[in-house]
Amino acid sequence: MSQKVLLTSKEVNIILHRLACQLIENHLDFSSTVLIGIQPRGTFLAARLKTLLEKEYQINNIQLGFLDITFFRDDFRSREKTLEANKTHIDFLVEDKKVVFIDDVLYTGRSINAALTAIQSFGRPSEIELLVLIDRRFSRHLPIQPDYRGRQVDAFNEEKVKVSWAENGGEDGVFLI
């Protein structure tokens, strides 16, 4: 299986800083904003952004949660392989907060649709935004677009975009397989 490098570790780092700056422009001190990483792969990006905002840009008290969408997906019963649930960790209410969903790759939009349903268990946000590292602009099934995107990639159905993180036993990078 051949793979093409879409983003190197250095490029990922540059994009993370740009995304952090865009978040600061729109949310300033994050007093009414929460970050929600979508399980499983959005958690690495969300945690990395929180760390970057705190250490590099001195923004304190950022609330970060992780949302499991497994049983909110419209296809969870129709898959051949049994889905394994992740853990939701949100120890705050999202009532009247601005929520920023964070995921690694936006493809069909179904994960984000599931996240929109799942987040309602934690209150009614005043606003929801979407931040993704990679926006696969082809094959969207639902009319969902990111508010913040790291890179837009033209990948077709048979191609996969794989995001690798240093925290997950590799090095930062994005590959087309």
Side-chain angles (χ1 to χ4, degrees):
M1 189 182 307
S2 66
Q3 66 181 20
K4 175 184 174 187
V5 176
L6 295 177
L7 295 174
T8 65
S9 178
K10 183 176 182 179
E11 291 169 317
V12 168
N13 190 47
I14 290 167
I15 288 171
L16 290 177
H17 278 273
R18 178 173 47 80
L19 290 170
C21 288
Q22 289 174 341
L23 285 171
I24 292 168
E25 286 176 13
N26 291 332
H27 299 280
L28 299 175
D29 65 356
F30 289 77
S31 59
S32 62
T33 301
V34 298
L35 304 179
I36 304 287
I38 297 176
Q39 289 276 21
R41 294 175 306 273
T43 59
F44 296 110
L45 176 57
R48 184 77 70 86
L49 281 170
K50 180 182 189 254
T51 300
L52 196 59
L53 289 164
E54 290 175 340
K55 291 187 177 175
E56 298 289 326
Y57 300 100
Q58 287 72 49
I59 298 174
N60 298 317
N61 303 319
I62 297 174
Q63 292 183 302
L64 172 65
F66 302 124
L67 181 64
D68 179 34
I69 60 167
T70 303
F71 299 114
F72 294 93
R73 293 183 57 92
D74 60 1
D75 63 349
F76 92 92
R77 291 185 196 274
S78 61
R79 293 188 172 207
E80 293 177 19
K81 175 174 110 171
T82 304
L83 292 175
E84 287 186 35
N86 294 288
K87 289 187 178 180
T88 291
H89 176 76
I90 299 176
D91 57 1
F92 48 84
L93 292 176
V94 299
E95 190 75 31
D96 294 323
K97 297 277 188 180
K98 294 177 184 172
V99 170
V100 179
F101 282 145
I102 300 174
D103 207 359
D104 62 345
V105 178
L106 174 59
Y107 181 28
T108 64
R110 293 189 181 282
S111 294
I112 304 309
N113 188 48
L116 289 166
T117 303
I119 199 66
Q120 293 174 22
S121 300
F122 298 92
R124 184 175 185 224
S126 64
E127 188 177 316
I128 297 177
E129 296 179 332
L130 175 60
L131 180 149
V132 297
L133 182 64
I134 301 295
D135 175 12
R136 289 184 62 160
R137 66 183 184 154
F138 294 126
S139 300
R140 195 87 79 237
H141 296 175
L142 300 168
I144 293 174
Q145 299 299 321
D147 298 285
Y148 311 92
R149 80 170 50 92
R151 175 75 51 91
Q152 195 169 45
V153 173
D154 295 339
F156 298 97
N157 283 335
E158 65 277 357
E159 297 174 316
K160 292 186 184 232
V161 175
K162 179 185 175 204
V163 178
S164 177
W165 296 103
E167 295 88 342
N168 199 20
E171 69 173 280
D172 293 347
V174 179
F175 307 94
L176 183 65
I177 301 173

